[in-house]
Amino acid sequence: MQYNVEVRTSLKKGMLNPEASTIEKALALLNFEVENTKTINIIQFSLNAENKEEALAQVDEMCQKLLCNPVIHDYEINISEE
Amino acid sequence: MQYNVEVRTSLKKGMLNPEASTIEKALALLNFEVENTKTINIIQFSLNAENKEEALAQVDEMCQKLLCNPVIHDYEINISEE
């Protein structure tokens, strides 16, 4: 069975986000005032697995081992059938 | 009026995505086989504007000037009231 996977990674609350603060400052230089800037990264891919549970277990392992840094990132996994 | 804005940036079709291919290769080294890897960046912020149309116009200008490179990126703007 082929599954579409989306992994959404964001920094945990309280972590400094230099990318977001740079965006906010650069927008301010262009006279745009914005607040509470956050950045989120999404990785999408397709994956073969026996069933949804197996797919979820595999993707969770990928997140722990490579896609995210569990110390600083929160992640969310969405899996749908192709 | 305060609006919540989300800008979703992805590379246009046909553009090489070295980040995605690196992820795919690194996952393969860990014995995970995935395909069609894509990456998407999301920037979220809040913004003051008179109405939704003005907010959209402002955010579109931000995208053109700073947040995206319209030559290589597709972008999608979502605006909701706070």
Side-chain angles (χ1 to χ4, degrees), chain A residues 35 38 40-42 44 46, chain B residues 35 38 41-42 44 46:
Chain A
E35 283 175 331
K38 278 181 219 164
I40 297 167
N41 289 310
I42 291 181
Q44 288 177 332
S46 53
Chain B
E35 283 176 331
K38 279 181 216 162
N41 288 311
I42 292 181
Q44 288 177 332
S46 54

Side-chain angles (χ1 to χ4, degrees), chain A residues 47-61:
Chain A
L47 173 76
N48 253 312
E50 298 270 306
N51 53 46
K52 209 168 170 176
E53 285 67 39
E54 203 213 288
L56 183 62
Q58 277 197 43
V59 178
D60 195 65
E61 204 184 328

Side-chain angles (χ1 to χ4, degrees), chain A residues 2 23 26-27 32-47 61-62 66-67, chain B residues 2 23 26-27 32-47 58 62 66-67:
Chain A
Q2 192 83 355
I23 290 170
L27 286 174
F32 294 112
E33 263 184 60
V34 306
E35 283 175 331
N36 308 321
T37 309
K38 278 181 219 164
T39 58
I40 297 167
N41 289 310
I42 291 181
I43 304 166
Q44 288 177 332
F45 51 83
S46 53
L47 173 76
E61 204 184 328
M62 292 178 202
L66 180 81
L67 302 179
Chain B
Q2 191 84 354
I23 289 170
L27 285 175
F32 294 112
E33 263 184 60
V34 306
E35 283 176 331
N36 308 320
T37 309
K38 279 181 216 162
T39 57
I40 297 168
N41 288 311
I42 292 181
I43 304 166
Q44 288 177 332
F45 51 83
S46 54
L47 173 75
Q58 276 198 43
M62 292 178 203
L66 180 81
L67 302 179

Side-chain angles (χ1 to χ4, degrees), chain A:
Chain A
M1 194 85 201
Q2 192 83 355
Y3 293 94
N4 286 325
V5 178
E6 184 173 291
V7 177
R8 216 178 147 96
T9 313
S10 57
L11 282 168
K12 288 194 190 220
K13 265 203 173 174
M15 297 296 305
L16 287 180
N17 187 341
E19 188 185 11
S21 47
T22 305
I23 290 170
E24 214 168 294
K25 279 179 212 154
L27 286 174
L29 290 175
L30 297 172
N31 295 317
F32 294 112
E33 263 184 60
V34 306
E35 283 175 331
N36 308 321
T37 309
K38 278 181 219 164
T39 58
I40 297 167
N41 289 310
I42 291 181
I43 304 166
Q44 288 177 332
F45 51 83
S46 53
L47 173 76
N48 253 312
E50 298 270 306
N51 53 46
K52 209 168 170 176
E53 285 67 39
E54 203 213 288
L56 183 62
Q58 277 197 43
V59 178
D60 195 65
E61 204 184 328
M62 292 178 202
C63 288
Q64 295 282 341
K65 285 191 176 169
L66 180 81
L67 302 179
C68 311
N69 176 346
V71 178
I72 59 169
H73 291 133
D74 282 328
Y75 62 89
E76 199 185 301
I77 300 169
N78 288 307
I79 296 182
S80 58
E81 284 178 27
E82 205 153 78

Side-chain angles (χ1 to χ4, degrees), chain B residues 5-6 10 18 26 37 40 43 45-50 60 68-70:
Chain B
V5 178
E6 184 172 291
S10 57
T37 309
I40 297 168
I43 304 166
F45 51 83
S46 54
L47 173 75
N48 252 312
E50 298 269 306
D60 195 64
C68 311
N69 176 347

